[in-house]
Amino acid sequence: MLKNAMEEIVQGIVTVLMSGSDYQIFCKCQQCQEDIIALSLNTLPAHYVTSEKGRTAVFERMNSKENLEWINKRVIQSIYTVGKYPHRS
Ligand SMILES: [Zn+2]
């Protein structure tokens, strides 16, 4: 199971943020959500894992206030960038 654990973390954050009241003005179609996730992942370090154990370890490491704040900031930047130019990619 080769996968980028960061992708799952970012996906979760995007889902939570986009359903919040602060981001109701942005388009929430599949394309925009994927563009936001892709843009965020391009600016975040990848954390590839090959097992459930590795995945859990990354989640635990990223689940600190500082890490989540920093990842959230990148995701929010991406929401604004995609929101300014939706359906361009
Ligand atoms: Zn859209």
Side-chain angles (χ1 to χ4, degrees):
M1 56 162 282
L2 178 66
K3 67 191 277 197
N4 181 3
M6 187 58 99
E7 190 178 324
E8 211 182 315
I9 293 170
V10 166
Q11 225 153 19
I13 292 175
V14 168
T15 304
V16 169
L17 287 179
M18 294 303 274
S19 60
S21 55
D22 290 351
Y23 301 97
Q24 291 309 310
I25 58 163
F26 296 102
C27 178
K28 290 181 225 345
C29 75
Q30 182 85 10
Q31 156 112 59
C32 285
Q33 297 218 22
E34 281 178 4
D35 283 345
I36 292 163
I37 292 164
L39 195 59
S40 305
L41 287 173
N42 285 342
T43 67
L44 290 163
H47 281 283
Y48 280 96
V49 295
T50 54
S51 66
E52 188 56 40
K53 205 174 141 195
R55 176 183 167 271
T56 308
V58 172
F59 269 70
E60 276 169 8
R61 197 149 17 106
M62 290 301 143
N63 199 20
S64 70
K65 194 169 178 284
E66 301 83 62
N67 278 329
L68 288 177
E69 242 166 48
W70 159 74
I71 298 168
N72 258 292
K73 211 177 279 179
R74 299 286 173 90
V75 172
I76 290 166
Q77 261 168 10
S78 304
I79 290 175
Y80 277 94
T81 304
V82 171
K84 215 187 281 181
Y85 305 107
H87 317 129
R88 285 275 180 95
S89 65

